[in-house]
Amino acid sequence: MALATLLLIVLVRNPFIVALAAAAPAFFVFGDSSVDTGNNNFISTLIKANSLPYGMNFDPPAEFLDLPYPVNFLDPGVSPWNLLKGVNFAAAGAGLLDSTGFSRGVRSFTKQIKEFQKVVKVLESLAGKSSTLDLLSRSIFLISFAGNDLAANYQLNPFRQMFYNLTQFESLLINQMSRSIQTLHAYGAQKFIIADIPPLGCTPVELILHGACKGRCVASVNEQIRSFNSKTSVFFSKLRAVLRDCDFLHLKSYTIVQRILENPSTHGLRHASRACCGNGGHYNALGPCNWFISSVCEDPDLYAFWDMVHPTQALYKLVANEVIFGSPNSIYPFNLAHLVSNMPQ
């Protein structure tokens, strides 16, 4: 389940939702599978999660109806009026770079930005330019990218490494992120939550690929991720200095997830390295999750990972709580609750 959805589930279970609904009229989401809530189901790609066992434990609460819940951009059943509560543009397999998901037919950050521009025109036709600008300036913009860029488009791509060393590739990603964020700002966006890359070296698929022992995370993979995350932290500081009318909340996904995986039992988890749904092996990650050939655990809430790559609903809920209520060690410089409490109602 995507972080965007779990954020809303956590919200509806506490009084903070009243303040959020009053202060932030809409929720716009850009990213990859970490926040994709179904866009890929409407295009021709193999990267989908629209069949069982995916979603078997998901039961959205009725209170969702009162939330600024973002609709999927590619959903043909969405009416223009639905766009006033926000839009999810995310696509599983996508990256900051166009080349990252191109061969799999998914939409990059650049493409998602162009789709956002189309939505802005529709909003302006419904509410007028002034009201649309006001809506966008008070809305929350969630961005979660770069994991596929670094893992699939660099770490597993020897051809790419022939032309870029790690530092050069990191600069390429950050420059693309900078251009995209400044484009969003030019259209009125001011409230951002931007996630860094979680410790992908701890996912079951990486443990299998590198023959990791006893669930130990793959150091070489995580070192590259930490390198990129440290540069994004510097980038966020520069953004705050340049775009002074904006709030940039840096979601430290790596720190949060690593902390949970190192002490799973204190967070209600029992299995920190084995996939709930998979095809055997020490980490149940010898193949993708599939209803016909995979084994599925009895209680996914005890697992950190649903399949060979993606977290369970349980882990996402823990991250979502940190987004809303976490300390600066988890989300910097302050959390979503603080942001909303200081927004005009």
Side-chain angles (χ1 to χ4, degrees):
M1 186 181 299
L3 175 60
T5 300
L6 263 298
L7 267 175
L8 298 176
I9 288 178
V10 172
L11 287 172
V12 299
R13 300 190 186 282
N14 66 78
F16 173 60
I17 181 56
V18 178
L20 175 65
F27 194 26
F28 294 91
V29 183
F30 304 82
D32 51 28
S33 60
S34 62
V35 287
D36 178 8
T37 53
N39 275 307
N40 279 13
N41 297 340
F42 304 103
I43 62 174
S44 178
T45 178
L46 295 176
I47 309 177
K48 300 182 181 183
N50 60 344
S51 60
L52 292 173
Y54 288 94
M56 60 186 295
N57 298 106
F58 180 48
D59 182 21
E63 294 95 326
F64 260 20
L65 299 175
D66 297 325
L67 286 170
Y69 188 71
V71 297
N72 288 314
F73 176 78
L74 295 181
D75 186 346
V78 170
S79 75
W81 293 103
N82 295 139
L83 305 180
L84 290 168
K85 289 190 175 182
V87 182
N88 189 318
F89 302 92
L96 291 168
L97 303 180
D98 293 343
S99 59
T100 295
F102 178 78
S103 63
R104 294 175 287 183
V106 297
R107 298 144 37 255
S108 66
F109 198 7
T110 302
K111 178 65 174 176
Q112 293 176 30
I113 293 289
K114 291 179 179 178
E115 294 168 347
F116 169 74
Q117 292 169 334
K118 293 179 181 178
V119 167
V120 172
K121 291 182 179 179
V122 175
L123 294 177
E124 289 176 345
S125 70
L126 295 174
K129 288 190 176 182
S130 178
S131 294
T132 297
L133 184 62
D134 176 67
L135 180 145
L136 295 176
S137 69
R138 294 186 294 115
S139 296
I140 305 297
F141 285 74
L142 174 62
I143 300 172
S144 181
F145 272 111
N148 291 320
D149 295 287
L150 198 59
N153 203 359
Y154 189 78
Q155 292 175 342
L156 299 178
N157 190 342
F159 182 77
R160 186 75 60 195
Q161 295 177 37
M162 290 173 58
F163 293 91
Y164 298 94
N165 61 36
L166 180 60
T167 300
Q168 292 170 331
F169 191 72
E170 290 170 339
S171 296
L172 190 67
L173 297 181
I174 290 174
N175 289 338
Q176 180 59 57
M177 185 184 295
S178 177
R179 287 191 294 270
S180 297
I181 290 174
Q182 291 190 59
T183 298
L184 291 174
H185 175 256
Y187 276 83
Q190 295 184 3
K191 314 296 181 186
F192 295 88
I193 302 173
I194 308 175
D196 63 20
I197 307 176
L200 300 180
C202 301
T203 58
V205 66
E206 292 289 355
L207 300 182
I208 284 284
L209 289 174
H210 292 84
C213 297
K214 298 181 180 179
R216 294 192 183 96
C217 300
V218 181
S220 59
V221 174
N222 283 346
E223 284 171 5
Q224 291 189 352
I225 293 172
R226 286 196 300 271
S227 173
F228 175 76
N229 286 345
S230 66
K231 291 179 175 62
T232 59
S233 182
V234 174
F235 163 66
F236 293 146
S237 297
K238 292 180 179 178
L239 271 181
R240 294 186 187 99
V242 175
L243 304 179
R244 294 182 175 274
D245 59 337
C246 294
D247 290 300
F248 293 100
L249 277 57
H250 173 194
L251 175 59
K252 300 182 179 182
S253 301
Y254 188 102
T255 299
I256 297 169
V257 174
Q258 184 80 349
R259 183 169 64 233
I260 294 169
L261 297 182
E262 288 177 349
N263 297 284
S265 60
T266 63
H267 299 279
L269 303 176
R270 186 175 300 168
H271 307 282
S273 58
R274 182 176 175 83
C276 170
C277 180
N279 293 291
H282 186 65
Y283 303 109
N284 198 28
L286 292 178
C289 176
N290 183 289
W291 184 258
F292 300 102
I293 60 175
S294 299
S295 62
V296 182
C297 66
E298 293 184 0
D299 192 349
D301 286 341
L302 297 178
Y303 285 71
F305 293 99
W306 166 253
D307 58 18
M308 61 171 62
V309 175
H310 302 99
T312 56
Q313 175 175 293
L315 182 53
Y316 268 134
K317 282 184 179 179
L318 293 169
V319 175
N321 268 304
E322 292 298 312
V323 174
I324 303 167
F325 306 112
S327 72
N329 290 329
S330 298
I331 182 165
Y332 184 86
F334 44 76
N335 57 41
L336 182 57
H338 177 89
L339 174 67
V340 171
S341 66
N342 285 277
M343 291 170 63
Q345 301 296 312

